[in-house]
Amino acid sequence: MPLDDLADLSDETLLARYAVGDRAAARALTLRLTPRVLGYAARLLGDRGEAEDVAQEALLRLWRIAPDWRSGEAQVTTWLFRVVTNLVTDRQRARMRRPAAALDDAPEVADTAPGALAWMLERDRMAALEAGLAQLPDRQRQAVVLRHIEGLPNPEIAAIMGIGIEAVESLTARGKRALAAALAGQRAALGYEDEGAEP
Amino acid sequence: MTPQDMDELFAEARGRTASASSALLARVLEDAYAAQDDRAVVQPSRALHPAPRRPWAWLGGLLGGSTALAGLASAAVAGFMIGVIQPPILSEVTGALWSPDTTLETVELIPSLDGWLSEG
Protein backbone atom coordinates (compact mmCIF):
# COMPACT_ATOMS: atom_id res chain seq x y z
CA MET A 1 0.00 0.00 0.00
CA PRO A 2 1.41 3.45 -0.90
CA LEU A 3 2.53 5.56 2.05
CA ASP A 4 0.11 8.32 1.04
CA ASP A 5 -2.78 5.97 1.68
CA LEU A 6 -1.54 5.40 5.21
CA ALA A 7 -1.16 9.07 6.08
CA ASP A 8 -4.69 9.35 7.46
CA LEU A 9 -4.43 6.28 9.64
CA SER A 10 -3.82 6.70 13.35
CA ASP A 11 -0.61 5.54 14.97
CA GLU A 12 -2.53 2.79 16.72
CA THR A 13 -4.06 1.48 13.50
CA LEU A 14 -0.68 1.48 11.81
CA LEU A 15 0.81 -0.33 14.77
CA ALA A 16 -1.86 -3.02 14.53
CA ARG A 17 -1.05 -3.45 10.85
CA TYR A 18 2.64 -3.54 11.62
CA ALA A 19 2.05 -6.27 14.18
CA VAL A 20 0.59 -8.56 11.54
CA GLY A 21 3.55 -8.07 9.22
CA ASP A 22 2.57 -5.06 7.11
CA ARG A 23 5.83 -3.63 5.73
CA ALA A 24 4.18 -0.42 4.54
CA ALA A 25 2.95 0.24 8.07
CA ALA A 26 6.51 -0.22 9.32
CA ARG A 27 7.74 2.41 6.86
CA ALA A 28 4.93 4.82 7.68
CA LEU A 29 5.47 4.54 11.43
CA THR A 30 9.22 4.94 11.04
CA LEU A 31 8.87 8.12 9.00
CA ARG A 32 6.16 9.53 11.27
CA LEU A 33 7.53 8.72 14.71
CA THR A 34 11.30 8.88 14.39
CA PRO A 35 11.55 12.69 14.02
CA ARG A 36 9.23 13.28 16.99
CA VAL A 37 11.08 10.87 19.24
CA LEU A 38 14.44 12.17 18.09
CA GLY A 39 13.47 15.80 18.68
CA TYR A 40 12.28 15.09 22.21
CA ALA A 41 15.35 13.02 23.06
CA ALA A 42 17.68 15.66 21.62
CA ARG A 43 16.12 18.41 23.73
CA LEU A 44 16.45 16.35 26.88
CA LEU A 45 19.98 15.16 26.22
CA GLY A 46 21.47 18.09 24.33
CA ASP A 47 23.49 15.58 22.32
CA ARG A 48 22.44 14.55 18.84
CA GLY A 49 24.36 11.26 18.78
CA GLU A 50 22.98 10.09 22.10
CA ALA A 51 19.52 11.22 21.08
CA GLU A 52 19.70 9.04 17.95
CA ASP A 53 20.64 6.03 20.06
CA VAL A 54 17.76 6.69 22.44
CA ALA A 55 15.30 7.19 19.60
CA GLN A 56 16.33 3.93 17.94
CA GLU A 57 16.08 2.05 21.24
CA ALA A 58 12.66 3.49 22.05
CA LEU A 59 11.31 2.54 18.63
CA LEU A 60 12.86 -0.92 18.90
CA ARG A 61 10.84 -1.42 22.09
CA LEU A 62 7.74 -0.30 20.23
CA TRP A 63 8.35 -2.85 17.46
CA ARG A 64 8.74 -5.60 20.03
CA ILE A 65 5.64 -4.71 22.03
CA ALA A 66 3.45 -4.18 18.95
CA PRO A 67 1.78 -7.64 18.97
CA ASP A 68 0.84 -7.17 22.63
CA TRP A 69 -0.33 -3.56 22.26
CA ARG A 70 -3.60 -3.10 24.10
CA SER A 71 -5.85 -0.87 22.13
CA GLY A 72 -7.23 2.21 23.83
CA GLU A 73 -4.99 2.15 26.89
CA ALA A 74 -2.49 4.78 25.80
CA GLN A 75 -1.53 6.77 22.75
CA VAL A 76 1.47 5.46 20.91
CA THR A 77 3.28 8.80 21.21
CA THR A 78 2.55 9.00 24.94
CA TRP A 79 4.02 5.53 25.39
CA LEU A 80 7.06 6.46 23.30
CA PHE A 81 7.68 9.72 25.16
CA ARG A 82 7.54 7.81 28.40
CA VAL A 83 10.08 5.27 27.15
CA VAL A 84 12.35 8.07 25.95
CA THR A 85 12.03 9.87 29.29
CA ASN A 86 13.02 6.70 31.14
CA LEU A 87 15.90 5.93 28.79
CA VAL A 88 17.23 9.47 29.15
CA THR A 89 16.89 9.31 32.93
CA ASP A 90 18.78 6.01 32.97
CA ARG A 91 21.58 7.52 30.93
CA GLN A 92 21.75 10.56 33.14
CA ARG A 93 21.90 8.41 36.23
CA ALA A 94 24.46 6.03 34.75
CA ARG A 95 27.01 8.68 34.10
CA MET A 96 27.87 11.99 35.49
CA ARG A 97 26.07 14.29 33.14
CA ARG A 98 28.52 16.14 31.03
CA PRO A 99 28.76 19.78 32.03
CA ALA A 100 25.71 21.56 30.78
CA ALA A 101 26.36 23.82 27.88
CA ALA A 102 26.57 27.25 29.33
CA LEU A 103 24.85 30.14 27.74
CA ASP A 104 28.27 31.49 27.02
CA ASP A 105 28.81 28.49 24.75
CA ALA A 106 25.91 29.48 22.54
CA PRO A 107 26.96 31.02 19.25
CA GLU A 108 27.74 34.64 19.40
CA VAL A 109 24.83 36.71 18.30
CA ALA A 110 25.53 39.43 15.81
CA ASP A 111 23.56 42.01 17.75
CA THR A 112 25.25 44.90 16.03
CA ALA A 113 24.27 43.79 12.56
CA PRO A 114 21.00 45.49 11.69
CA GLY A 115 20.68 43.49 8.51
CA ALA A 116 20.97 40.08 10.12
CA LEU A 117 18.90 37.55 8.30
CA ALA A 118 15.83 36.14 9.97
CA TRP A 119 17.07 32.59 9.70
CA MET A 120 20.25 33.52 11.53
CA LEU A 121 18.22 35.08 14.31
CA GLU A 122 16.05 32.00 14.55
CA ARG A 123 19.11 29.78 14.61
CA ASP A 124 20.57 31.82 17.42
CA ARG A 125 17.31 31.73 19.34
CA MET A 126 17.15 27.95 19.05
CA ALA A 127 20.75 27.61 20.16
CA ALA A 128 20.06 29.84 23.16
CA LEU A 129 16.93 27.86 23.99
CA GLU A 130 18.85 24.57 23.86
CA ALA A 131 21.53 26.00 26.11
CA GLY A 132 18.94 27.37 28.52
CA LEU A 133 17.11 24.06 28.66
CA ALA A 134 20.37 22.30 29.41
CA GLN A 135 20.72 24.40 32.54
CA LEU A 136 17.38 23.27 33.98
CA PRO A 137 17.08 20.36 36.41
CA ASP A 138 16.17 17.16 34.54
CA ARG A 139 12.53 16.97 35.62
CA GLN A 140 11.88 20.65 34.91
CA ARG A 141 13.46 20.27 31.49
CA GLN A 142 11.26 17.26 30.70
CA ALA A 143 8.12 19.07 31.80
CA VAL A 144 8.93 22.27 29.90
CA VAL A 145 9.80 20.43 26.70
CA LEU A 146 6.70 18.26 26.83
CA ARG A 147 4.38 21.17 27.66
CA HIS A 148 5.73 24.06 25.66
CA ILE A 149 7.59 22.46 22.76
CA GLU A 150 5.84 19.16 22.21
CA GLY A 151 2.57 20.88 23.10
CA LEU A 152 1.14 18.03 25.15
CA PRO A 153 -1.67 18.55 27.69
CA ASN A 154 -0.85 18.24 31.37
CA PRO A 155 -2.66 14.90 31.94
CA GLU A 156 -0.61 13.32 29.16
CA ILE A 157 2.60 14.77 30.58
CA ALA A 158 1.63 13.39 33.98
CA ALA A 159 1.23 9.94 32.43
CA ILE A 160 4.58 10.21 30.67
CA MET A 161 6.47 11.38 33.73
CA GLY A 162 4.61 9.19 36.17
CA ILE A 163 3.59 12.08 38.42
CA GLY A 164 0.43 13.99 39.29
CA ILE A 165 -1.01 16.85 37.29
CA GLU A 166 -0.27 19.37 40.05
CA ALA A 167 3.35 18.30 40.03
CA VAL A 168 3.43 18.82 36.27
CA GLU A 169 2.02 22.31 36.66
CA SER A 170 4.58 23.13 39.32
CA LEU A 171 7.53 21.77 37.32
CA THR A 172 6.38 23.54 34.18
CA ALA A 173 5.93 26.90 35.88
CA ARG A 174 9.24 26.74 37.72
CA GLY A 175 11.05 25.53 34.63
CA LYS A 176 9.64 28.30 32.48
CA ARG A 177 10.60 30.96 35.03
CA ALA A 178 14.11 29.56 35.35
CA LEU A 179 14.48 29.43 31.58
CA ALA A 180 13.32 33.02 31.22
CA ALA A 181 15.82 34.11 33.84
CA ALA A 182 18.61 32.17 32.13
CA LEU A 183 17.86 33.83 28.79
CA ALA A 184 17.24 37.30 30.20
CA GLY A 185 20.79 38.43 29.54
CA GLN A 186 20.46 37.67 25.85
CA ARG A 187 17.03 39.15 25.32
CA ALA A 188 18.17 42.04 23.18
CA ALA A 189 20.69 39.95 21.30
CA LEU A 190 18.01 37.44 20.44
CA GLY A 191 15.92 40.14 18.81
CA TYR A 192 13.28 40.71 21.46
CA GLU A 193 14.19 44.29 22.25
CA ASP A 194 11.60 45.81 19.98
CA GLU A 195 8.97 43.13 20.32
CA GLY A 196 7.84 43.81 23.85
CA ALA A 197 8.63 45.82 26.88
CA GLU A 198 9.99 44.41 30.08
CA PRO A 199 7.20 44.16 32.68
CA MET B 1 12.51 37.63 28.94
CA THR B 2 8.80 38.36 29.17
CA PRO B 3 6.16 35.61 29.12
CA GLN B 4 5.35 36.76 25.60
CA ASP B 5 8.97 36.38 24.58
CA MET B 6 9.00 32.87 26.00
CA ASP B 7 5.77 31.90 24.25
CA GLU B 8 7.17 33.17 20.97
CA LEU B 9 10.39 31.27 21.49
CA PHE B 10 8.53 28.05 22.32
CA ALA B 11 6.32 28.49 19.25
CA GLU B 12 9.39 28.80 17.05
CA ALA B 13 10.86 25.67 18.59
CA ARG B 14 7.56 23.82 18.16
CA GLY B 15 7.55 24.68 14.48
CA ARG B 16 10.97 23.16 13.93
CA THR B 17 10.60 19.45 13.39
CA ALA B 18 13.74 17.52 14.07
CA SER B 19 15.04 16.01 10.89
CA ALA B 20 16.08 12.42 11.24
CA SER B 21 19.04 11.46 9.12
CA SER B 22 18.55 8.86 6.42
CA ALA B 23 21.03 6.64 8.26
CA LEU B 24 18.92 6.74 11.43
CA LEU B 25 15.72 6.09 9.50
CA ALA B 26 17.38 3.14 7.81
CA ARG B 27 18.48 1.69 11.16
CA VAL B 28 15.02 2.13 12.68
CA LEU B 29 13.34 0.55 9.66
CA GLU B 30 15.80 -2.33 9.71
CA ASP B 31 14.87 -2.96 13.35
CA ALA B 32 11.20 -2.85 12.44
CA TYR B 33 11.57 -5.40 9.65
CA ALA B 34 13.77 -7.64 11.81
CA ALA B 35 11.16 -7.68 14.59
CA GLN B 36 8.50 -8.64 12.06
CA ASP B 37 10.70 -11.38 10.62
CA ASP B 38 11.50 -12.72 14.10
CA ARG B 39 7.81 -13.07 14.85
CA ALA B 40 7.19 -14.78 11.51
CA VAL B 41 9.85 -17.34 12.42
CA VAL B 42 8.86 -17.77 16.04
CA GLN B 43 5.15 -18.32 15.51
CA PRO B 44 5.38 -21.56 13.43
CA SER B 45 7.99 -23.00 15.78
CA ARG B 46 5.54 -22.64 18.62
CA ALA B 47 3.42 -25.29 16.91
CA LEU B 48 6.38 -27.67 17.04
CA HIS B 49 6.69 -27.13 20.75
CA PRO B 50 3.13 -27.04 22.02
CA ALA B 51 2.45 -25.92 25.52
CA PRO B 52 2.32 -28.74 28.10
CA ARG B 53 -1.08 -30.39 28.05
CA ARG B 54 -3.22 -30.73 31.12
CA PRO B 55 -3.03 -34.15 32.90
CA TRP B 56 -6.60 -35.12 31.96
CA ALA B 57 -5.92 -34.34 28.32
CA TRP B 58 -2.75 -36.43 28.46
CA LEU B 59 -4.54 -39.39 30.11
CA GLY B 60 -7.45 -39.16 27.67
CA GLY B 61 -5.04 -39.26 24.77
CA LEU B 62 -3.27 -42.27 26.27
CA LEU B 63 -6.48 -44.26 26.73
CA GLY B 64 -8.05 -43.44 23.41
CA GLY B 65 -9.77 -40.15 23.81
CA SER B 66 -12.29 -38.51 26.04
CA THR B 67 -14.95 -41.15 25.33
CA ALA B 68 -12.76 -43.94 26.68
CA LEU B 69 -11.82 -41.79 29.65
CA ALA B 70 -15.51 -41.16 30.41
CA GLY B 71 -16.26 -44.90 30.19
CA LEU B 72 -13.39 -45.69 32.53
CA ALA B 73 -14.57 -43.10 35.01
CA SER B 74 -18.15 -44.45 34.89
CA ALA B 75 -16.94 -48.00 35.54
CA ALA B 76 -14.83 -46.83 38.45
CA VAL B 77 -17.76 -44.98 40.01
CA ALA B 78 -20.08 -47.96 39.47
CA GLY B 79 -17.59 -50.34 41.10
CA PHE B 80 -17.16 -48.08 44.04
CA MET B 81 -20.93 -47.73 44.55
CA ILE B 82 -21.46 -51.52 44.31
CA GLY B 83 -18.82 -52.01 46.96
CA VAL B 84 -20.40 -49.47 49.27
CA ILE B 85 -24.08 -50.36 48.79
CA GLN B 86 -23.68 -54.14 48.31
CA PRO B 87 -26.96 -54.88 46.46
CA PRO B 88 -28.81 -58.01 47.78
CA ILE B 89 -28.58 -59.84 44.48
CA LEU B 90 -24.82 -59.66 44.55
CA SER B 91 -24.77 -60.79 48.17
CA GLU B 92 -26.70 -63.93 47.16
CA VAL B 93 -24.18 -64.71 44.43
CA THR B 94 -21.35 -64.22 46.88
CA GLY B 95 -23.09 -66.45 49.42
CA ALA B 96 -23.56 -69.21 46.82
CA LEU B 97 -19.92 -69.14 45.83
CA TRP B 98 -18.48 -68.61 49.27
CA SER B 99 -20.56 -70.24 52.00
CA PRO B 100 -19.45 -69.83 55.61
CA ASP B 101 -17.67 -73.23 55.64
CA THR B 102 -15.84 -72.64 52.36
CA THR B 103 -12.12 -72.06 52.50
CA LEU B 104 -10.32 -69.73 50.15
CA GLU B 105 -8.64 -72.60 48.27
CA THR B 106 -11.96 -74.26 47.32
CA VAL B 107 -13.72 -71.26 45.88
CA GLU B 108 -14.40 -71.82 42.18
CA LEU B 109 -15.22 -68.62 40.41
CA ILE B 110 -15.39 -70.39 37.04
CA PRO B 111 -16.79 -73.83 37.87
CA SER B 112 -16.88 -75.08 34.27
CA LEU B 113 -13.21 -74.33 33.55
CA ASP B 114 -12.00 -77.75 34.75
CA GLY B 115 -14.32 -79.41 32.29
CA TRP B 116 -12.86 -77.42 29.41
CA LEU B 117 -9.32 -78.27 30.50
CA SER B 118 -10.07 -81.99 30.72
CA GLU B 119 -11.39 -81.99 27.20
CA GLY B 120 -8.01 -80.93 25.98
Side-chain angles (χ1 to χ4, degrees), chain A residues 90-167:
Chain A
D90 288 346
R91 282 177 177 248
Q92 288 167 334
R93 284 178 180 162
R95 60 168 170 73
M96 287 295 292
R97 193 168 188 282
R98 66 178 172 74
L103 282 180
D104 292 341
D105 296 336
E108 288 295 326
V109 179
D111 57 340
T112 57
L117 297 173
W119 67 267
M120 289 181 64
L121 189 60
E122 183 181 343
R123 183 199 63 188
D124 293 337
R125 284 178 175 179
M126 292 303 105
L129 175 61
E130 298 291 339
L133 285 171
Q135 291 189 335
L136 297 181
D138 294 340
R139 301 294 274 174
Q140 285 186 22
R141 182 167 56 253
Q142 291 166 9
V144 167
V145 170
L146 288 168
R147 181 73 187 92
H148 294 293
I149 300 180
E150 297 298 334
L152 301 182
N154 285 347
E156 198 171 334
I157 298 171
I160 291 168
M161 297 182 68
I163 57 178
I165 294 176
E166 288 183 2

Side-chain angles (χ1 to χ4, degrees), chain B residues 6-87:
Chain B
M6 295 302 298
D7 290 342
E8 186 179 330
L9 187 58
F10 288 139
E12 282 185 41
R14 205 159 38 240
R16 289 168 62 103
T17 305
S19 58
S21 66
S22 56
L24 174 62
L25 291 172
R27 290 202 304 272
V28 170
L29 192 56
E30 187 180 347
D31 288 343
Y33 288 163
Q36 282 181 323
D37 292 342
D38 286 348
R39 277 194 293 278
V41 171
V42 166
Q43 283 175 349
S45 70
R46 283 180 183 160
L48 298 176
H49 303 286
R53 301 167 66 184
R54 289 173 299 176
W56 288 117
W58 173 81
L59 187 59
L62 191 67
L63 296 175
S66 59
T67 306
L69 193 61
L72 184 63
S74 300
V77 170
F80 177 77
M81 294 306 295
I82 288 170
V84 170
I85 298 172
Q86 294 188 346

Side-chain angles (χ1 to χ4, degrees), chain B residues 94-108:
Chain B
T94 304
L97 291 173
W98 197 343
S99 58
D101 55 346
T102 303
T103 60
L104 182 61
E105 290 78 10
T106 61
V107 172
E108 288 195 56

